Amino acid sequence: MYRAKYPGKQLPSRSFFATLHRRLCETGSFNVHKLDTGRQGTTRTVDAEDRVLQELERNPSTSTRVVSQKTHIPQATVWSIAHDEGLHPYHLQHIQALELGDYNKRMDFAQWFLHESNTDRNFAASVLFTDEATFSLEGVMNFHNLHTWADENPHAIRPHGAQRKCSINM
């Protein structure tokens, strides 16, 4: 039958057809199964997706690495599941906490600055505006790693009370 269907092709050996027949009987498929290379294959299941989404919902500020460790699902699959669900890692905004009396102090400063600017036209040009850095006992935070998983930007913030703790502004 093979020779009649493929007249220009070389006829495979009898053992080739015997191997195909054996494989079909044993596995139900002609596919050759690859040898175990030691790396586990990843099957993305509904259960895996549920576990990842539950972990991200339970702790939105977690990392894909932590979710991968807790669920025993590869990190690339965790990223893929989060991406397919429309979740993105939004970074937190670092803001300075405001106290109750801060609003009045800011308003007083703004009114004073406007008054001085109206009195002396060169007043604003004579003010030296600088950037400031706060050094405190809270330690250094790596904001690259602080994020919140959500489908829309939650504009999440992390207020810190550096002015209420031991710190120095420079």
Side-chain angles (χ1 to χ4, degrees):
M1 288 174 54
Y2 185 89
R3 186 171 295 177
K5 188 166 186 172
Y6 305 104
K9 301 272 185 176
Q10 182 180 358
L11 183 64
S13 69
R14 179 180 175 96
S15 64
F16 175 76
F17 288 108
T19 302
L20 284 178
H21 181 263
R22 182 181 46 79
R23 189 179 300 142
L24 185 60
C25 291
E26 290 175 0
T27 65
S29 172
F30 289 118
N31 292 336
V32 177
H33 297 291
K34 294 181 180 177
L35 296 175
D36 185 14
T37 58
R39 183 174 175 182
Q40 296 292 325
T42 304
T43 304
R44 184 170 164 178
T45 63
V46 174
D47 177 55
E49 291 179 7
D50 287 343
R51 287 187 293 150
V52 168
L53 295 175
Q54 286 174 0
E55 194 62 38
L56 290 174
E57 187 176 329
R58 185 177 313 122
N59 186 2
S61 63
T62 191
S63 68
T64 55
R65 179 175 289 137
V66 171
V67 172
S68 174
Q69 289 171 350
K70 287 184 178 180
T71 60
H72 304 289
I73 297 171
Q75 188 176 4
T77 305
V78 172
W79 266 106
S80 177
I81 291 170
H83 177 73
D84 291 349
E85 290 296 319
L87 300 176
H88 304 284
Y90 291 101
H91 287 279
L92 298 177
Q93 296 177 13
H94 195 216
I95 63 168
Q96 185 171 324
L98 296 176
E99 301 288 331
L100 292 176
D102 288 344
Y103 178 78
N104 292 334
K105 292 176 187 176
R106 287 175 175 230
M107 288 301 294
D108 291 344
F109 175 79
Q111 289 172 351
W112 169 81
F113 193 87
L114 285 173
H115 178 270
E116 293 297 320
S117 295
N118 288 336
T119 306
D120 180 6
R121 291 193 172 269
N122 294 328
F123 178 74
S126 65
V127 175
L128 176 64
F129 291 97
T130 62
D131 200 3
E132 73 178 38
T134 301
F135 299 92
S136 70
L137 297 178
E138 288 183 344
V140 177
M141 295 296 293
N142 183 354
F143 288 97
H144 179 74
N145 293 334
L146 291 177
H147 55 267
T148 299
W149 287 93
D151 54 354
E152 291 183 14
N153 192 348
H155 299 289
I157 59 173
R158 181 184 182 266
H160 71 97
Q163 298 300 320
R164 288 181 273 144
K165 296 181 181 178
C166 179
S167 66
I168 183 169
N169 288 342
M170 296 183 74

